[in-house]
Amino acid sequence: MELKISEKYKKLIVDTGRELYKQNLTIGTWGNISFLDSDTDLVYIKPSGIEYNEIETKDIVVLDKKGKIVEGTKKPSIETSMHLAIYNARDDVGAIIHYHPIYSSVLAVTGLSLPGISEDFVQLVGNKVVCAKYGLPGSKELAKNAVIALGERKAVFLLNHGTLCVGRDMKEAMKVCSVVEKTAHIYILSKSIGKCRIIPEEDIKAMQDFAKDNYGN
Ligand SMILES: [Zn+2]
């Protein structure tokens, strides 16, 4: 069977990388972006080691969910096994962005969790974001630890490394990136004043149910 490869999804990876860069959410070649086409089960991923502003659609690597390259001449992102492990573990994930923004990386180097402190965060991302156990970049161990700590939530911190966000589609994954970084910033500032209130679990649940009923999450 001929697998249909879409130029549109390659462009989505290119455009999202430029947007991440523009929003100061990552620098240089750090981080990686992928998209799962649910019709073909093919994964489109950023190539390794090319600056976001220099990536073109011809550089995007297309693989199946087992990691076999279907199209592309460049080396796929070093974190390909982490992206594939998440697509294989979670049916609801259609896009993944791994990035190195400042405030969530502050939490990622401490190993602390980001608790549910603001309404947009608990509705979109989950009750909290926890930090995965350490694994070397690109290792199978990092992929496994990220899947475990991500659980059913939409973001996870990678110890001494950065953050990974997921969404049903790229638009949602991008939104999760912004909300996690903003909430990490607020959390760190509030801690510097002295304290912040964590939203009680029952209120988080009520807000998540409301979001599900009203926005179809
Ligand atoms: Zn990284």
Side-chain angles (χ1 to χ4, degrees), residues 55-100:
I55 297 174
E56 296 176 43
T57 50
K58 66 175 173 45
D59 301 322
I60 303 304
V61 183
V62 186
L63 323 100
D64 68 17
K65 275 164 93 179
K66 286 184 183 144
K68 189 176 153 257
I69 294 178
V70 176
E71 191 177 280
T73 52
K74 298 283 191 301
K75 215 171 117 214
S77 161
I78 181 178
E79 300 298 358
T80 297
S81 60
M82 180 166 65
H83 287 244
L84 295 178
I86 292 167
Y87 289 125
N88 284 310
R90 290 268 301 263
D91 284 346
D92 60 325
V93 172
I96 299 174
I97 301 174
H98 160 54
Y99 64 152
H100 296 182

Short mmCIF file of all heavy atoms in Angstrom, two decimals, residues 55-100:
data_model
loop_
_atom_site.label_atom_id
_atom_site.label_comp_id
_atom_site.label_asym_id
_atom_site.label_seq_id
_atom_site.Cartn_x
_atom_site.Cartn_y
_atom_site.Cartn_z
N ILE A 55 15.02 25.49 8.79
CA ILE A 55 14.37 24.23 8.38
C ILE A 55 13.39 24.49 7.24
O ILE A 55 12.62 25.44 7.27
CB ILE A 55 13.62 23.58 9.57
CG1 ILE A 55 14.62 23.21 10.67
CG2 ILE A 55 12.83 22.35 9.13
CD1 ILE A 55 13.97 22.69 11.94
N GLU A 56 13.45 23.63 6.22
CA GLU A 56 12.49 23.71 5.11
C GLU A 56 11.68 22.42 5.07
O GLU A 56 12.08 21.42 5.67
CB GLU A 56 13.25 23.87 3.79
CG GLU A 56 14.02 25.18 3.71
CD GLU A 56 14.82 25.25 2.42
OE1 GLU A 56 14.28 24.87 1.36
OE2 GLU A 56 15.99 25.66 2.49
N THR A 57 10.59 22.43 4.34
CA THR A 57 9.72 21.25 4.32
C THR A 57 10.48 19.99 3.85
O THR A 57 10.22 18.90 4.34
CB THR A 57 8.47 21.46 3.42
OG1 THR A 57 8.91 21.96 2.17
CG2 THR A 57 7.49 22.43 4.04
N LYS A 58 11.43 20.16 2.94
CA LYS A 58 12.18 18.98 2.44
C LYS A 58 13.05 18.33 3.54
O LYS A 58 13.50 17.20 3.38
CB LYS A 58 13.03 19.35 1.23
CG LYS A 58 14.17 20.32 1.53
CD LYS A 58 15.03 20.54 0.29
CE LYS A 58 16.08 21.59 0.45
NZ LYS A 58 16.89 21.61 1.67
N ASP A 59 13.30 19.06 4.64
CA ASP A 59 14.13 18.53 5.72
C ASP A 59 13.35 17.68 6.72
O ASP A 59 13.94 16.99 7.56
CB ASP A 59 14.78 19.68 6.50
CG ASP A 59 15.64 20.56 5.62
OD1 ASP A 59 16.32 20.01 4.73
OD2 ASP A 59 15.65 21.79 5.82
N ILE A 60 12.02 17.76 6.68
CA ILE A 60 11.20 17.05 7.67
C ILE A 60 11.28 15.54 7.41
O ILE A 60 11.22 15.08 6.28
CB ILE A 60 9.72 17.52 7.59
CG1 ILE A 60 9.62 19.04 7.79
CG2 ILE A 60 8.83 16.78 8.60
CD1 ILE A 60 10.24 19.60 9.05
N VAL A 61 11.41 14.79 8.50
CA VAL A 61 11.53 13.33 8.38
C VAL A 61 10.16 12.70 8.69
O VAL A 61 9.48 13.12 9.63
CB VAL A 61 12.60 12.79 9.36
CG1 VAL A 61 12.77 11.29 9.19
CG2 VAL A 61 13.93 13.50 9.15
N VAL A 62 9.78 11.72 7.88
CA VAL A 62 8.50 11.03 8.08
C VAL A 62 8.79 9.57 8.46
O VAL A 62 9.58 8.89 7.78
CB VAL A 62 7.63 11.09 6.81
CG1 VAL A 62 6.25 10.49 7.07
CG2 VAL A 62 7.49 12.53 6.31
N LEU A 63 8.19 9.12 9.57
CA LEU A 63 8.45 7.75 10.04
C LEU A 63 7.13 7.06 10.37
O LEU A 63 6.11 7.72 10.57
CB LEU A 63 9.26 7.73 11.33
CG LEU A 63 10.37 8.71 11.63
CD1 LEU A 63 9.87 9.80 12.54
CD2 LEU A 63 11.49 7.99 12.32
N ASP A 64 7.19 5.72 10.49
CA ASP A 64 6.02 5.05 11.04
C ASP A 64 6.17 5.02 12.57
O ASP A 64 7.19 5.45 13.11
CB ASP A 64 5.81 3.65 10.42
CG ASP A 64 6.91 2.65 10.80
OD1 ASP A 64 7.64 2.89 11.77
OD2 ASP A 64 7.03 1.62 10.11
N LYS A 65 5.14 4.51 13.26
CA LYS A 65 5.15 4.58 14.72
C LYS A 65 6.17 3.64 15.36
O LYS A 65 6.38 3.66 16.57
CB LYS A 65 3.75 4.33 15.28
CG LYS A 65 2.91 5.61 15.29
CD LYS A 65 1.44 5.34 15.45
CE LYS A 65 0.97 5.38 16.87
NZ LYS A 65 -0.47 5.12 16.99
N LYS A 66 6.79 2.79 14.54
CA LYS A 66 7.85 1.92 15.08
C LYS A 66 9.22 2.55 14.89
O LYS A 66 10.23 2.01 15.37
CB LYS A 66 7.80 0.56 14.38
CG LYS A 66 6.64 -0.28 14.85
CD LYS A 66 6.69 -1.65 14.21
CE LYS A 66 5.49 -2.47 14.62
NZ LYS A 66 5.03 -3.32 13.51
N GLY A 67 9.28 3.66 14.13
CA GLY A 67 10.55 4.36 13.95
C GLY A 67 11.21 4.12 12.60
O GLY A 67 12.31 4.60 12.36
N LYS A 68 10.52 3.41 11.72
CA LYS A 68 11.10 3.16 10.38
C LYS A 68 10.89 4.41 9.52
O LYS A 68 9.77 4.90 9.38
CB LYS A 68 10.41 1.95 9.75
CG LYS A 68 11.08 1.50 8.49
CD LYS A 68 10.40 0.23 7.95
CE LYS A 68 10.58 0.15 6.47
NZ LYS A 68 9.45 0.49 5.65
N ILE A 69 12.00 4.92 8.94
CA ILE A 69 11.90 6.13 8.12
C ILE A 69 11.22 5.81 6.79
O ILE A 69 11.60 4.89 6.09
CB ILE A 69 13.28 6.78 7.90
CG1 ILE A 69 13.82 7.29 9.25
CG2 ILE A 69 13.20 7.93 6.89
CD1 ILE A 69 15.19 7.90 9.21
N VAL A 70 10.18 6.60 6.50
CA VAL A 70 9.41 6.41 5.28
C VAL A 70 9.84 7.42 4.22
O VAL A 70 9.86 7.14 3.04
CB VAL A 70 7.89 6.56 5.60
CG1 VAL A 70 7.06 6.48 4.34
CG2 VAL A 70 7.45 5.52 6.61
N GLU A 71 10.17 8.64 4.68
CA GLU A 71 10.66 9.67 3.75
C GLU A 71 11.56 10.65 4.49
O GLU A 71 11.35 10.95 5.65
CB GLU A 71 9.50 10.41 3.10
CG GLU A 71 9.95 11.29 1.95
CD GLU A 71 8.81 11.99 1.24
OE1 GLU A 71 8.15 11.35 0.41
OE2 GLU A 71 8.56 13.17 1.52
N GLY A 72 12.57 11.17 3.78
CA GLY A 72 13.45 12.17 4.36
C GLY A 72 14.90 11.73 4.29
O GLY A 72 15.20 10.55 4.46
N THR A 73 15.78 12.70 4.02
CA THR A 73 17.20 12.37 3.89
C THR A 73 17.99 12.81 5.12
O THR A 73 19.12 12.40 5.32
CB THR A 73 17.81 13.07 2.65
OG1 THR A 73 17.48 14.46 2.75
CG2 THR A 73 17.25 12.52 1.36
N LYS A 74 17.36 13.66 5.95
CA LYS A 74 18.06 14.16 7.14
C LYS A 74 17.89 13.17 8.30
O LYS A 74 17.01 12.31 8.28
CB LYS A 74 17.48 15.52 7.55
CG LYS A 74 17.67 16.61 6.50
CD LYS A 74 19.09 17.10 6.50
CE LYS A 74 19.31 18.35 5.67
NZ LYS A 74 18.99 18.30 4.27
N LYS A 75 18.73 13.37 9.32
CA LYS A 75 18.63 12.55 10.51
C LYS A 75 17.44 13.06 11.34
O LYS A 75 17.34 14.26 11.57
CB LYS A 75 19.94 12.72 11.31
CG LYS A 75 20.40 11.49 12.03
CD LYS A 75 21.78 11.72 12.59
CE LYS A 75 21.65 11.61 14.07
NZ LYS A 75 22.45 12.41 14.89
N PRO A 76 16.55 12.16 11.80
CA PRO A 76 15.43 12.67 12.62
C PRO A 76 15.92 13.16 13.98
O PRO A 76 17.00 12.77 14.43
CB PRO A 76 14.52 11.45 12.76
CG PRO A 76 15.39 10.27 12.54
CD PRO A 76 16.50 10.71 11.62
N SER A 77 15.12 13.98 14.62
CA SER A 77 15.44 14.51 15.95
C SER A 77 15.99 13.43 16.88
O SER A 77 15.53 12.28 16.87
CB SER A 77 14.16 15.09 16.55
OG SER A 77 14.30 15.22 17.93
N ILE A 78 16.94 13.82 17.72
CA ILE A 78 17.55 12.89 18.69
C ILE A 78 16.50 12.30 19.64
O ILE A 78 16.65 11.18 20.13
CB ILE A 78 18.68 13.61 19.47
CG1 ILE A 78 19.34 12.67 20.45
CG2 ILE A 78 18.18 14.82 20.20
CD1 ILE A 78 20.51 13.29 21.23
N GLU A 79 15.40 13.07 19.86
CA GLU A 79 14.36 12.60 20.79
C GLU A 79 13.23 11.85 20.10
O GLU A 79 12.12 11.75 20.63
CB GLU A 79 13.79 13.77 21.60
CG GLU A 79 14.79 14.52 22.45
CD GLU A 79 15.45 13.68 23.54
OE1 GLU A 79 15.12 12.48 23.68
OE2 GLU A 79 16.33 14.22 24.24
N THR A 80 13.48 11.32 18.91
CA THR A 80 12.43 10.59 18.18
C THR A 80 11.83 9.46 19.03
O THR A 80 10.61 9.27 19.04
CB THR A 80 13.00 10.03 16.85
OG1 THR A 80 13.39 11.15 16.04
CG2 THR A 80 11.98 9.21 16.09
N SER A 81 12.67 8.73 19.77
CA SER A 81 12.12 7.60 20.53
C SER A 81 11.16 8.07 21.63
O SER A 81 10.19 7.39 21.96
CB SER A 81 13.21 6.70 21.10
OG SER A 81 14.04 7.42 21.95
N MET A 82 11.41 9.27 22.18
CA MET A 82 10.49 9.82 23.20
C MET A 82 9.15 10.18 22.54
O MET A 82 8.08 9.87 23.09
CB MET A 82 11.13 11.03 23.87
CG MET A 82 10.29 11.68 24.93
SD MET A 82 11.22 12.84 25.96
CE MET A 82 11.68 14.12 24.80
N HIS A 83 9.19 10.81 21.38
CA HIS A 83 7.95 11.17 20.68
C HIS A 83 7.16 9.90 20.34
O HIS A 83 5.95 9.82 20.58
CB HIS A 83 8.27 11.93 19.39
CG HIS A 83 8.73 13.34 19.63
ND1 HIS A 83 8.03 14.46 19.21
CD2 HIS A 83 9.83 13.82 20.26
CE1 HIS A 83 8.68 15.55 19.57
NE2 HIS A 83 9.78 15.19 20.20
N LEU A 84 7.84 8.90 19.79
CA LEU A 84 7.13 7.67 19.39
C LEU A 84 6.55 6.94 20.60
O LEU A 84 5.44 6.41 20.54
CB LEU A 84 8.07 6.74 18.61
CG LEU A 84 8.58 7.29 17.26
CD1 LEU A 84 9.53 6.29 16.62
CD2 LEU A 84 7.43 7.62 16.31
N ALA A 85 7.30 6.92 21.71
CA ALA A 85 6.81 6.24 22.92
C ALA A 85 5.51 6.88 23.39
O ALA A 85 4.58 6.19 23.84
CB ALA A 85 7.87 6.30 24.02
N ILE A 86 5.41 8.21 23.26
CA ILE A 86 4.19 8.91 23.69
C ILE A 86 3.04 8.62 22.73
O ILE A 86 1.92 8.32 23.17
CB ILE A 86 4.45 10.42 23.86
CG1 ILE A 86 5.39 10.62 25.06
CG2 ILE A 86 3.14 11.19 24.06
CD1 ILE A 86 5.99 12.00 25.17
N TYR A 87 3.28 8.67 21.42
CA TYR A 87 2.20 8.33 20.47
C TYR A 87 1.73 6.90 20.68
O TYR A 87 0.54 6.60 20.53
CB TYR A 87 2.67 8.51 19.02
CG TYR A 87 2.84 9.95 18.60
CD1 TYR A 87 4.05 10.40 18.08
CD2 TYR A 87 1.79 10.86 18.74
CE1 TYR A 87 4.21 11.73 17.69
CE2 TYR A 87 1.94 12.18 18.36
CZ TYR A 87 3.15 12.61 17.83
OH TYR A 87 3.31 13.92 17.46
N ASN A 88 2.65 6.01 21.01
CA ASN A 88 2.26 4.61 21.21
C ASN A 88 1.52 4.39 22.53
O ASN A 88 0.75 3.44 22.66
CB ASN A 88 3.49 3.69 21.11
CG ASN A 88 3.93 3.50 19.67
OD1 ASN A 88 3.13 3.18 18.80
ND2 ASN A 88 5.20 3.73 19.38
N ALA A 89 1.74 5.28 23.51
CA ALA A 89 1.10 5.13 24.82
C ALA A 89 -0.23 5.87 24.91
O ALA A 89 -1.08 5.52 25.72
CB ALA A 89 2.03 5.63 25.92
N ARG A 90 -0.38 6.91 24.11
CA ARG A 90 -1.56 7.78 24.25
C ARG A 90 -2.33 7.95 22.94
O ARG A 90 -1.85 8.61 22.02
CB ARG A 90 -1.09 9.17 24.74
CG ARG A 90 -0.59 9.22 26.18
CD ARG A 90 -1.70 9.58 27.15
NE ARG A 90 -2.31 10.85 26.87
CZ ARG A 90 -1.98 11.99 27.50
NH1 ARG A 90 -1.05 12.00 28.42
NH2 ARG A 90 -2.60 13.12 27.20
N ASP A 91 -3.55 7.41 22.90
CA ASP A 91 -4.39 7.51 21.69
C ASP A 91 -4.87 8.93 21.41
O ASP A 91 -5.25 9.24 20.29
CB ASP A 91 -5.65 6.65 21.89
CG ASP A 91 -5.33 5.19 21.72
OD1 ASP A 91 -4.24 4.90 21.21
OD2 ASP A 91 -6.18 4.35 22.10
N ASP A 92 -4.90 9.75 22.48
CA ASP A 92 -5.48 11.09 22.32
C ASP A 92 -4.45 12.14 21.88
O ASP A 92 -4.80 13.30 21.73
CB ASP A 92 -6.11 11.53 23.66
CG ASP A 92 -5.09 11.58 24.80
OD1 ASP A 92 -4.17 10.73 24.82
OD2 ASP A 92 -5.20 12.48 25.66
N VAL A 93 -3.20 11.74 21.68
CA VAL A 93 -2.16 12.72 21.33
C VAL A 93 -1.92 12.72 19.82
O VAL A 93 -1.66 11.68 19.22
CB VAL A 93 -0.85 12.41 22.09
CG1 VAL A 93 0.29 13.29 21.59
CG2 VAL A 93 -1.04 12.61 23.60
N GLY A 94 -1.99 13.94 19.24
CA GLY A 94 -1.75 14.08 17.80
C GLY A 94 -0.58 14.99 17.48
O GLY A 94 -0.19 15.12 16.32
N ALA A 95 -0.03 15.67 18.51
CA ALA A 95 1.11 16.56 18.28
C ALA A 95 1.92 16.68 19.56
O ALA A 95 1.36 16.65 20.67
CB ALA A 95 0.64 17.93 17.83
N ILE A 96 3.25 16.79 19.41
CA ILE A 96 4.15 16.87 20.57
C ILE A 96 5.17 17.99 20.33
O ILE A 96 5.75 18.07 19.24
CB ILE A 96 4.89 15.54 20.79
CG1 ILE A 96 3.90 14.39 21.05
CG2 ILE A 96 5.91 15.66 21.94
CD1 ILE A 96 4.53 13.00 21.13
N ILE A 97 5.37 18.81 21.36
CA ILE A 97 6.41 19.84 21.28
C ILE A 97 7.29 19.70 22.52
O ILE A 97 6.80 19.73 23.65
CB ILE A 97 5.80 21.26 21.24
CG1 ILE A 97 4.89 21.42 20.02
CG2 ILE A 97 6.92 22.32 21.22
CD1 ILE A 97 4.12 22.74 19.97
N HIS A 98 8.58 19.51 22.29
CA HIS A 98 9.54 19.50 23.40
C HIS A 98 10.38 20.77 23.26
O HIS A 98 10.87 21.06 22.18
CB HIS A 98 10.41 18.24 23.31
CG HIS A 98 11.69 18.37 24.08
ND1 HIS A 98 11.70 18.71 25.41
CD2 HIS A 98 12.97 18.25 23.71
CE1 HIS A 98 12.96 18.79 25.82
NE2 HIS A 98 13.75 18.52 24.80
N TYR A 99 10.46 21.54 24.34
CA TYR A 99 11.14 22.84 24.26
C TYR A 99 11.92 23.12 25.54
O TYR A 99 11.81 22.38 26.53
CB TYR A 99 10.15 23.95 23.91
CG TYR A 99 9.04 24.23 24.93
CD1 TYR A 99 8.47 25.50 25.05
CD2 TYR A 99 8.52 23.25 25.76
CE1 TYR A 99 7.46 25.79 25.95
CE2 TYR A 99 7.51 23.52 26.66
CZ TYR A 99 6.98 24.80 26.75
OH TYR A 99 5.98 25.06 27.65
N HIS A 100 12.72 24.20 25.51
CA HIS A 100 13.58 24.54 26.64
C HIS A 100 13.33 25.98 27.08
O HIS A 100 14.23 26.81 27.00
CB HIS A 100 15.07 24.41 26.25
CG HIS A 100 15.51 23.02 25.90
ND1 HIS A 100 16.82 22.73 25.57
CD2 HIS A 100 14.85 21.84 25.84
CE1 HIS A 100 16.94 21.44 25.31
NE2 HIS A 100 15.75 20.87 25.46
#
